[in-house]
Amino acid sequence: MISFVSTVEGVPRDTGTASLYQRIRKVLTRDLLVTLALGQVLSLLICALGLTSKYLANDFHANTPIFQSFLNYILLFLVYTTTLAVKQGEGNLLAILMQRWWKYMILGVIDIEANYLVLRAYQYTTLSSIQLLDCFVIPVVLLLSWFFLLVRYKTVHFVGTGLCLLGIGCMVGADILLGRQQGLGEQKLFGNLLVLGGAMLYGISNVCEEFIVKNLSRVEFLGMLGLFGSFFSGIQLAIMEHKELLRVSWNWQIGLLYVGFSAFMFGLYSFMPVVMKRTSATSVNLSLLTADLYSLFCGLFLFHYKFSGLYLLSFFIIILGLVFYSSSSTYVVQDPRVYKQFRNKDNQTPYEPPPLCPRVLEPSVIYTTLSPEQGDEFPVQVA
């Protein structure tokens, strides 16, 4: 008897589709999606700040940017500065003031004036100019991170940054095409200079914040900012805005808007160090580019703005840029020779360090990633 054995061959898979799917899953990891979501939470908080400010200025004629910032600094003082005051050991408020009080004083002044300059610019230039020029904070953060935090980037990071800026360009172009030129537009050069100055100060403040939260603590940063911010913004309020504050027609609606603004600002200041410790100052600022788009989408329903498909295109381009930027890790280097090794890693080129003297330390590098693996921590140390 002859027996026959039949074999059934499996249907060959579409290797091209499977390979593309695997690549997408490799890039869109859970940590990357969490990072993107955290950045969008910050953007939504900024959107809420813009809406409450618009209602205060347009509906109730309350133009009090210094007072609004002052309320936030007071909340930071009550929560975080008092926490430092009751804390024991080296992290106590008195110990911090004795070691580096003047550094936090300068940082507090920088943060106050950054907020003031950008808000002041709305009186002199158009909204489109502010949205476009405010992106100057991104190259400032990149340069300061490169030289002072010793962060090194790959080509994919610059591509992602370029895509985000292209998305902002689409949004501004849509505003111009729709004639949505909000703002007085008078003395535009002066207003544009105010925006550039504010963006530069924002960049300095954000890089300092990244260094502090990654090397010291989030509570120390917010506590000292609340201490010096409330002190100096209170002085600036008494000098420059006390008359405007007296002209406000107080009622429960205005009071509710001020409370809402303070709550959103306090949430932004409290949550941003958490996101920045996980990512970086550059990644946070790229994420905040979508805040203007959220404001536009809300304005479609609240203020009857005109819609343009360029707004959706702009949003998707910015998100794509964020995915590009977050898909690869940056690192902090303590020796320039290691950067060459890092750049040649993709080409698998062996790196042979030059012979060192017996007493010379080996070059060291500490990698940081925007999407750390579970359980891994990469502390940032700056020489």
Side-chain angles (χ1 to χ4, degrees):
M1 180 181 292
I2 300 175
S3 61
F4 296 92
V5 179
S6 62
T7 60
V8 179
E9 294 183 358
V11 179
R13 295 182 178 180
D14 189 349
T15 57
T17 304
S19 176
L20 178 61
Y21 176 72
Q22 291 175 357
R23 289 181 180 180
I24 293 176
R25 286 197 62 182
K26 185 178 180 181
V27 173
L28 297 179
T29 61
R30 178 179 178 275
D31 289 324
L32 186 144
L33 295 176
V34 170
T35 298
L36 293 178
L38 293 176
Q40 297 315 296
V41 171
L42 295 178
S43 286
L44 289 173
L45 287 172
I46 291 183
C47 172
L49 289 172
L51 291 176
T52 52
S53 294
K54 183 177 179 61
Y55 276 117
L56 283 171
N58 293 356
D59 294 355
F60 299 98
H61 307 288
N63 296 305
T64 56
I66 301 177
F67 177 67
Q68 292 166 224
S69 297
F70 175 73
L71 294 176
N72 171 59
Y73 291 124
I74 288 295
L75 289 176
L76 293 177
F77 177 86
L78 294 175
V79 175
Y80 295 104
T81 308
T82 53
T83 301
L84 291 177
V86 300
K87 191 175 182 180
Q88 302 295 326
E90 295 181 356
N92 181 267
L93 176 63
L94 183 59
I96 296 173
L97 288 174
M98 292 179 63
Q99 294 178 10
R100 41 187 177 270
W101 64 271
W102 62 273
K103 298 178 182 179
Y104 284 113
M105 181 183 69
I106 296 175
L107 179 59
V109 173
I110 289 175
D111 192 77
I112 293 170
E113 299 310 318
N115 291 324
Y116 175 74
L117 289 179
V118 174
L119 292 174
R120 185 74 173 177
Y122 281 92
Q123 302 180 20
Y124 300 100
T125 187
T126 61
L127 177 64
S128 300
S129 297
I130 293 175
Q131 292 171 338
L132 191 61
L133 295 175
D134 196 38
C135 296
F136 183 64
V137 67
I138 294 174
V140 171
V141 170
L142 285 171
L143 290 174
L144 292 178
S145 298
W146 181 284
F147 288 108
F148 293 99
L149 299 185
L150 304 180
V151 177
R152 296 297 180 261
Y153 304 95
K154 292 181 180 179
T155 303
V156 67
H157 298 122
F158 295 108
V159 172
T161 302
L163 285 173
C164 291
L165 296 178
L166 177 62
I168 286 294
C170 289
M171 182 188 67
V172 174
D175 286 343
I176 294 175
L177 291 175
L178 294 176
R180 187 172 169 267
Q181 295 288 314
Q182 294 184 4
L184 299 179
E186 301 175 359
Q187 302 180 9
K188 290 185 62 175
L189 178 59
F190 179 66
N192 293 341
L193 291 176
L194 290 178
V195 178
L196 291 176
M200 183 177 297
L201 293 180
Y202 272 134
I204 297 173
S205 176
N206 288 341
V207 171
C208 293
E209 179 178 354
E210 179 183 354
F211 176 81
I212 293 170
V213 299
K214 289 184 176 180
N215 292 274
L216 297 173
S217 76
R218 163 180 169 269
V219 175
E220 177 176 332
F221 169 76
L222 294 174
M224 301 308 292
L225 194 63
L227 176 63
F228 290 104
S230 57
F231 177 75
F232 287 108
S233 63
I235 295 176
Q236 190 171 5
L237 172 65
I239 296 175
M240 303 179 62
E241 207 172 76
H242 65 281
K243 293 182 179 180
E244 185 67 31
L245 195 60
L246 293 175
R247 285 195 291 265
V248 175
S249 301
W250 292 95
N251 55 48
W252 68 270
Q253 293 175 314
I254 292 181
L256 188 61
L257 286 173
Y258 274 117
V259 170
F261 182 92
S262 303
F264 292 135
M265 181 72 86
F266 178 78
L268 177 67
Y269 269 69
S270 299
F271 190 56
M272 184 177 288
V274 177
V275 183
M276 197 167 290
K277 186 173 184 178
R278 181 186 177 92
T279 59
S280 66
T282 305
S283 178
V284 167
N285 280 281
L286 291 175
S287 299
L288 297 182
L289 294 179
T290 57
D292 291 327
L293 287 168
Y294 291 136
S295 299
L296 290 171
F297 296 148
C298 292
L300 294 174
F301 302 97
L302 298 177
F303 310 116
H304 306 291
Y305 290 162
K306 295 180 181 179
F307 178 76
S308 172
L310 287 177
Y311 291 143
L312 289 178
L313 177 62
S314 173
F315 180 80
F316 288 118
I317 291 177
I318 293 175
I319 295 298
L320 180 62
L322 288 172
V323 171
F324 266 85
Y325 187 92
S326 304
S327 62
S328 184
S329 61
T330 61
Y331 80 105
V332 176
V333 67
Q334 295 175 332
D335 192 295
R337 288 169 293 180
V338 186
Y339 183 44
K340 184 178 179 181
Q341 179 186 14
F342 179 75
R343 292 292 300 273
N344 294 333
K345 182 179 179 181
D346 295 335
N347 300 328
Q348 296 182 352
T349 303
Y351 174 71
E352 296 293 339
L356 301 176
C357 299
R359 296 185 179 180
V360 178
L361 297 176
E362 291 287 341
S364 60
V365 59
I366 301 172
Y367 289 89
T368 61
T369 176
L370 299 178
S371 304
E373 296 295 333
Q374 185 70 24
D376 292 341
E377 294 185 356
F378 303 97
V380 176
Q381 298 178 359
V382 179

